[in-house]
Each structure stands twice: as structure tokens, then as C-alpha cells.
Amino acid sequence: MLDKTTNPQDDPVVEEVAALVARSRAAQQQIENYTQEQVDELIRAMVWAVAEQSVAEKIAQQTVEETQLGNYDGKYLKIFRKTRATLFDIINDKSVGIIEEDPKRNIVKIAKPVGVIGALSPSTNPEATPVIKAISAVKGRNSIIVAPHPRAKLTNKLICDLMRDAIVKMGAPADLVISIDVPSVEKTNELMRQCDRVLATGGGAMVTAAYSSGTPALGVGVGNAVITVDETADLDDAAEKIRMSKTLDLAASCSSDNSVILVDAIYDEMLAKLVAKGGYILSDDDKQKFQDVLWVDGHINAKVVAQTPKFIADMAGFEIPDDTQFFIIKETGYGPDHPFSGEKMTVAMALYRAADIDEAIELTNNIQSYQGQGHSCGIYSQSDENIMKLANATRTSRVMVNQPQSASNSGNLWNGMRQTFSLGCGSWGGNGTNNNITWRDLINETWVSKPLAVAKELPSDEILFGDVMQKLA
């Protein structure tokens, strides 16, 4: 990481990024005093520019062709539907001026922009991530510079250029959104050093770099969702939603179901339903062949990420039925010696058997202590007791109930979660927030405090300390 005092003339990367940040800062200053109506008009225009049907179709096709990750249907859903849903989620939020009043404490909160947001965009979700981050930034009257994964640089430029054109048509400066068109690790690191706040979505190494940049950063933890199906669940509903979640965009999302735990009472019946939905149970030999191609030198092999079952099977050297939609790998252990217990980024789930909800909770915590702690887990159940037992006993920021995990934990129309592609994992995942990160995380707030009408009075020691005084005597 370059020193904060580095002279831009000492390094061409520093100079290039400094020029981008200067342009971005100048644009941000032009909207710093925009009204709520002006801000909301901008973000509506930005989404429409990329989400209109014919444009969304073009972006989805471009994304698949460039990245060779996921599939057209998944990409189209994200650019056409997810961006709309995110806009809908925030469009009525008040982000300008007084955004909150607390009469009891006589405090008023005023929103202020942060400035230049440095955003990292991954190769797995490069179609909607720049849009969602950009409208969250502009909603807070910030500007944004997007550093894409090199594998998605053309897609990123296409999307950012479309938003820039729309911004200009709304009478605002195009440089509210800037793409780093020729990305590199050095440029991304320098952007994180020079911007005012980092919004990092990407691999663990990049998020760690964001936290080490010296700039306030919002990062995300590793995803490794564990899903429990208990004896009270609607098994047909659970099987279909697990299939949906596991196959969405060929599991490009870190929220895809990585492990599924079935309790004894419904194990055989539920497994049969998963097989009927296109799940293929790997033999021990095929499991080893899959493992050999999925991990190379301890890291996930990028060549198999978000690929079709047939592509993976052909590479690994085993046969699968034509109707296979996802792989089922029976597991009992967890940790480095059981790599399938970790994140896989493929259409593959580890399958566990538990005696009951208590063992399922223990398994969930053990699996996620290896990878994914703090991110999310889920449960299919009609028992509030089991649902709340799981929620209370797991170290997780999100528990999705009777919902397809990868389509739900980042927000969807069927739940109240905030729409985003940036999921904070709290201290469990090494993050500073548990939030579904949105515009509220990208502003400063000024708290105006006036005297209370009646000042508070300290109670007597007897009231404040009570029997504690006696216990300490």
C-alpha cells in the first residue's frame, strides 16, 4: 500500500487515480446541495438507463460473453429486476436534510454526503453491483468510482457509460459515476487509498486490502450459507426453493446454498424430493474427482466457478444424467479436511444429516466456524420455536425463513430485507457492520442536540444500584 503522503508525480498509477478522484470530487460538489427531488430523479434515470428491457437483455448477454460465469437468465434477472427492486426499496427514503427526529432526546439528525465513494465490483455479479452501489452513493449526494474485476471490465464500462449518459440528460455532471476502464490491483488499491469511503464487494483478499487502505471501509465477509430443513417444513416448497437458490445464475452468488442439513425425521423423503428437482448424488469416486478440479492449491478453481453441471462433470471426468441441475455431496465433517463444508461457488451442495434441530444448530455453527460465520443461514420450518432457537444460537447476521437464500438475503419483494449486494457480517466475519449495506451507510450525519424541556435527574444510589451494593459489601 502506498504511503498517504506520496507525491502523485512519483507514480503514474497514483497520478491517474488522483485525476479520476479530482474529477469525481468536482462532480460531487455540484450536487452537494441538491434537493431530495433532484437526487431521486437522478437515481431513477440511472436505473432506467440500464434496466429498460432491450438494454437489460444486451447487458445480460454481454456479461455472460465477457465473464463466462453464470447464465443469461440469472444475469437478466439481476439487471432487470434486482435494480428495479433496489430503486423501489430506497426511492421514498429521505436522504437529504433532516432524516430523523427523536423528540424524547430532543435530537435532530441531518444527512451530509461523504464525498467520493470507491467501489469494488466482483466478476460474479458485475451487471447489477455497479448500479446498486451507484444509486446508493448518489442517493446520499456522493459520487462514485467503480473498480471492476478485470474479467468484467467491458461490462462495467458499458453499464457506467449508460448511467453517465442518463445523468447528463438529467442536467447533472457525468462524473458522478466513473469507471476504471483498464483495471489493475495497483489502481484499485490506490483508489481505496484516495477516496473518502470504500465499498468493497469481492474476494477475501480484496476486502482485507480495503480494511487496510487507511480509508474508512465497508467490506463483506465470506458467504457459506447453511440451510436446515426440519420435520415441520413444507418439503415440496423447500425442495423447489433450494433448487432455485442453488441454481440461480449457476451459483455465482456467495449466498447460494452451500450446505443443506436434513433432520432424521424427513431425511429420506426430502432427499428424494431434491433428487426429483434435478439433484445428482455424487458417489465417493465422483466426489473425489470433483474435489480435485474444484480446488487447486487450496483455492477454488476459477475455471469451474458458476459453470453448468455438465461442464464441471466433463472437466472432472464423470458422467451425469442429462437433467442434472445441481450436485449433492454427502458430508459428515467440517473444516479444512472436509473442503466441501466450505464455500464452493458452484452448483454443488454438501448434504448433512442431523438428529434434530439442536444437532442442526451445532452443525451450522461448526460448518460456519470454518467459513461463512456472520454471513447468513436459513431454515425451512413451520415451528417458531425451532426458527428462533436457530436464530438465537447461531453466529449469523441473517436467518432467512422459508425463502430461497441466494434470492432473499440481499432483499427481495417477498421480504423486508434491505436491497443490496453488499452484506455486512459483523465481528463474526471481520466486518464493521451487520447491515445490508445501502445509502444510509454512505452518508455522514450531523446530530443537532437541544436542551431537554426537563433535565434528567440521577436517581438515588438505592434505585440505581439496588441489591448490587449489598452483594459488593
PDB file of all heavy atoms in Angstrom, residues 18 56 75 96 192 195 213 223 315 333 336 351 375 382 399 412 426 434 466:
ATOM      1  N   ALA A  18      -5.472   9.912  -8.994  1.00  0.00           N
ATOM      2  CA  ALA A  18      -5.686  11.254  -8.436  1.00  0.00           C
ATOM      3  C   ALA A  18      -6.517  12.100  -9.388  1.00  0.00           C
ATOM      4  O   ALA A  18      -7.381  12.878  -8.961  1.00  0.00           O
ATOM      5  CB  ALA A  18      -4.353  11.917  -8.139  1.00  0.00           C
ATOM      6  N   ALA A  56     -31.375  -4.200 -20.852  1.00  0.00           N
ATOM      7  CA  ALA A  56     -31.067  -5.263 -19.894  1.00  0.00           C
ATOM      8  C   ALA A  56     -30.689  -6.551 -20.616  1.00  0.00           C
ATOM      9  O   ALA A  56     -29.776  -7.276 -20.182  1.00  0.00           O
ATOM     10  CB  ALA A  56     -32.262  -5.493 -18.972  1.00  0.00           C
ATOM     11  N   LYS A  75     -28.303 -13.385 -15.089  1.00  0.00           N
ATOM     12  CA  LYS A  75     -27.814 -12.018 -15.301  1.00  0.00           C
ATOM     13  C   LYS A  75     -28.965 -11.076 -15.629  1.00  0.00           C
ATOM     14  O   LYS A  75     -29.026  -9.939 -15.145  1.00  0.00           O
ATOM     15  CB  LYS A  75     -26.781 -11.990 -16.441  1.00  0.00           C
ATOM     16  CG  LYS A  75     -25.584 -12.903 -16.262  1.00  0.00           C
ATOM     17  CD  LYS A  75     -24.818 -12.598 -14.997  1.00  0.00           C
ATOM     18  CE  LYS A  75     -23.599 -13.492 -14.869  1.00  0.00           C
ATOM     19  NZ  LYS A  75     -22.955 -13.366 -13.544  1.00  0.00           N
ATOM     20  N   VAL A  96     -31.944  13.604   2.255  1.00  0.00           N
ATOM     21  CA  VAL A  96     -31.475  14.992   2.170  1.00  0.00           C
ATOM     22  C   VAL A  96     -32.078  15.781   3.325  1.00  0.00           C
ATOM     23  O   VAL A  96     -33.270  15.654   3.633  1.00  0.00           O
ATOM     24  CB  VAL A  96     -31.882  15.635   0.825  1.00  0.00           C
ATOM     25  CG1 VAL A  96     -31.499  17.114   0.791  1.00  0.00           C
ATOM     26  CG2 VAL A  96     -31.226  14.898  -0.346  1.00  0.00           C
ATOM     27  N   MET A 192      -8.715   3.010  -3.308  1.00  0.00           N
ATOM     28  CA  MET A 192      -9.119   2.843  -1.917  1.00  0.00           C
ATOM     29  C   MET A 192      -8.341   3.789  -1.003  1.00  0.00           C
ATOM     30  O   MET A 192      -8.865   4.262   0.001  1.00  0.00           O
ATOM     31  CB  MET A 192      -8.927   1.387  -1.486  1.00  0.00           C
ATOM     32  CG  MET A 192      -9.875   0.424  -2.185  1.00  0.00           C
ATOM     33  SD  MET A 192      -9.896  -1.253  -1.486  1.00  0.00           S
ATOM     34  CE  MET A 192      -8.246  -1.820  -1.868  1.00  0.00           C
ATOM     35  N   CYS A 195      -9.915   7.675  -2.021  1.00  0.00           N
ATOM     36  CA  CYS A 195     -11.335   8.026  -1.921  1.00  0.00           C
ATOM     37  C   CYS A 195     -11.717   8.336  -0.473  1.00  0.00           C
ATOM     38  O   CYS A 195     -10.896   8.241   0.436  1.00  0.00           O
ATOM     39  CB  CYS A 195     -12.210   6.910  -2.495  1.00  0.00           C
ATOM     40  SG  CYS A 195     -12.262   5.430  -1.471  1.00  0.00           S
ATOM     41  N   SER A 213      -6.563  -0.108   3.844  1.00  0.00           N
ATOM     42  CA  SER A 213      -6.230   1.009   2.955  1.00  0.00           C
ATOM     43  C   SER A 213      -5.972   2.318   3.673  1.00  0.00           C
ATOM     44  O   SER A 213      -5.424   3.250   3.103  1.00  0.00           O
ATOM     45  CB  SER A 213      -7.366   1.220   1.943  1.00  0.00           C
ATOM     46  OG  SER A 213      -8.545   1.654   2.614  1.00  0.00           O
ATOM     47  N   GLY A 223     -19.226 -15.781   2.170  1.00  0.00           N
ATOM     48  CA  GLY A 223     -20.529 -16.426   2.208  1.00  0.00           C
ATOM     49  C   GLY A 223     -20.379 -17.936   2.239  1.00  0.00           C
ATOM     50  O   GLY A 223     -19.537 -18.497   1.529  1.00  0.00           O
ATOM     51  N   MET A 315     -15.123 -31.804 -17.039  1.00  0.00           N
ATOM     52  CA  MET A 315     -13.779 -31.444 -16.601  1.00  0.00           C
ATOM     53  C   MET A 315     -13.265 -32.438 -15.558  1.00  0.00           C
ATOM     54  O   MET A 315     -12.080 -32.804 -15.546  1.00  0.00           O
ATOM     55  CB  MET A 315     -13.764 -30.025 -16.031  1.00  0.00           C
ATOM     56  CG  MET A 315     -12.404 -29.604 -15.489  1.00  0.00           C
ATOM     57  SD  MET A 315     -12.378 -27.897 -14.892  1.00  0.00           S
ATOM     58  CE  MET A 315     -12.201 -27.026 -16.434  1.00  0.00           C
ATOM     59  N   GLY A 333     -18.332 -34.249   8.019  1.00  0.00           N
ATOM     60  CA  GLY A 333     -17.364 -33.422   8.740  1.00  0.00           C
ATOM     61  C   GLY A 333     -17.357 -31.985   8.276  1.00  0.00           C
ATOM     62  O   GLY A 333     -18.141 -31.559   7.421  1.00  0.00           O
ATOM     63  N   PRO A 336     -10.979 -27.721   7.222  1.00  0.00           N
ATOM     64  CA  PRO A 336     -10.047 -27.877   6.092  1.00  0.00           C
ATOM     65  C   PRO A 336      -9.952 -29.300   5.558  1.00  0.00           C
ATOM     66  O   PRO A 336      -9.708 -29.492   4.364  1.00  0.00           O
ATOM     67  CB  PRO A 336      -8.709 -27.416   6.686  1.00  0.00           C
ATOM     68  CG  PRO A 336      -9.069 -26.536   7.834  1.00  0.00           C
ATOM     69  CD  PRO A 336     -10.342 -27.090   8.394  1.00  0.00           C
ATOM     70  N   LEU A 351     -24.426 -32.171   1.804  1.00  0.00           N
ATOM     71  CA  LEU A 351     -25.642 -32.626   2.472  1.00  0.00           C
ATOM     72  C   LEU A 351     -25.283 -33.290   3.798  1.00  0.00           C
ATOM     73  O   LEU A 351     -24.451 -34.201   3.845  1.00  0.00           O
ATOM     74  CB  LEU A 351     -26.399 -33.621   1.593  1.00  0.00           C
ATOM     75  CG  LEU A 351     -27.738 -34.081   2.161  1.00  0.00           C
ATOM     76  CD1 LEU A 351     -28.778 -32.967   2.063  1.00  0.00           C
ATOM     77  CD2 LEU A 351     -28.238 -35.338   1.438  1.00  0.00           C
ATOM     78  N   HIS A 375     -22.344 -14.398   8.018  1.00  0.00           N
ATOM     79  CA  HIS A 375     -22.993 -14.022   6.756  1.00  0.00           C
ATOM     80  C   HIS A 375     -24.484 -14.328   6.774  1.00  0.00           C
ATOM     81  O   HIS A 375     -25.303 -13.413   6.876  1.00  0.00           O
ATOM     82  CB  HIS A 375     -22.310 -14.731   5.591  1.00  0.00           C
ATOM     83  CG  HIS A 375     -22.659 -14.188   4.243  1.00  0.00           C
ATOM     84  ND1 HIS A 375     -23.852 -14.468   3.618  1.00  0.00           N
ATOM     85  CD2 HIS A 375     -21.963 -13.384   3.389  1.00  0.00           C
ATOM     86  CE1 HIS A 375     -23.879 -13.858   2.436  1.00  0.00           C
ATOM     87  NE2 HIS A 375     -22.748 -13.192   2.272  1.00  0.00           N
ATOM     88  N   GLN A 382     -42.068 -24.724  10.007  1.00  0.00           N
ATOM     89  CA  GLN A 382     -43.306 -24.074  10.435  1.00  0.00           C
ATOM     90  C   GLN A 382     -43.321 -23.885  11.951  1.00  0.00           C
ATOM     91  O   GLN A 382     -44.340 -23.490  12.525  1.00  0.00           O
ATOM     92  CB  GLN A 382     -44.511 -24.914   9.999  1.00  0.00           C
ATOM     93  CG  GLN A 382     -44.605 -25.161   8.502  1.00  0.00           C
ATOM     94  CD  GLN A 382     -44.660 -23.883   7.688  1.00  0.00           C
ATOM     95  OE1 GLN A 382     -45.358 -22.942   8.061  1.00  0.00           O
ATOM     96  NE2 GLN A 382     -43.922 -23.844   6.578  1.00  0.00           N
ATOM     97  N   VAL A 399     -31.012 -14.709   9.141  1.00  0.00           N
ATOM     98  CA  VAL A 399     -31.647 -16.026   9.120  1.00  0.00           C
ATOM     99  C   VAL A 399     -32.858 -15.914   8.194  1.00  0.00           C
ATOM    100  O   VAL A 399     -33.839 -15.240   8.519  1.00  0.00           O
ATOM    101  CB  VAL A 399     -32.087 -16.484  10.522  1.00  0.00           C
ATOM    102  CG1 VAL A 399     -32.822 -17.823  10.430  1.00  0.00           C
ATOM    103  CG2 VAL A 399     -30.882 -16.605  11.454  1.00  0.00           C
ATOM    104  N   ASN A 412     -35.571  -8.857  -1.277  1.00  0.00           N
ATOM    105  CA  ASN A 412     -36.424  -9.178  -2.413  1.00  0.00           C
ATOM    106  C   ASN A 412     -37.824  -8.670  -2.117  1.00  0.00           C
ATOM    107  O   ASN A 412     -38.106  -8.233  -0.994  1.00  0.00           O
ATOM    108  CB  ASN A 412     -36.423 -10.681  -2.712  1.00  0.00           C
ATOM    109  CG  ASN A 412     -36.588 -10.965  -4.201  1.00  0.00           C
ATOM    110  OD1 ASN A 412     -37.518 -10.465  -4.840  1.00  0.00           O
ATOM    111  ND2 ASN A 412     -35.674 -11.755  -4.761  1.00  0.00           N
ATOM    112  N   GLY A 426     -20.697  -8.457  10.428  1.00  0.00           N
ATOM    113  CA  GLY A 426     -20.397  -8.172  11.822  1.00  0.00           C
ATOM    114  C   GLY A 426     -19.016  -8.652  12.226  1.00  0.00           C
ATOM    115  O   GLY A 426     -18.197  -9.057  11.404  1.00  0.00           O
ATOM    116  N   ASN A 434     -23.242  -5.330  10.527  1.00  0.00           N
ATOM    117  CA  ASN A 434     -24.077  -6.472  10.163  1.00  0.00           C
ATOM    118  C   ASN A 434     -25.061  -6.116   9.050  1.00  0.00           C
ATOM    119  O   ASN A 434     -25.807  -6.979   8.584  1.00  0.00           O
ATOM    120  CB  ASN A 434     -24.907  -6.945  11.365  1.00  0.00           C
ATOM    121  CG  ASN A 434     -24.077  -7.452  12.514  1.00  0.00           C
ATOM    122  OD1 ASN A 434     -23.806  -6.729  13.456  1.00  0.00           O
ATOM    123  ND2 ASN A 434     -23.662  -8.699  12.458  1.00  0.00           N
ATOM    124  N   GLY A 466     -29.362  -0.709  43.733  1.00  0.00           N
ATOM    125  CA  GLY A 466     -30.177  -1.731  44.365  1.00  0.00           C
ATOM    126  C   GLY A 466     -29.372  -2.735  45.158  1.00  0.00           C
ATOM    127  O   GLY A 466     -28.447  -2.396  45.884  1.00  0.00           O
TER     128      GLY A 466
END
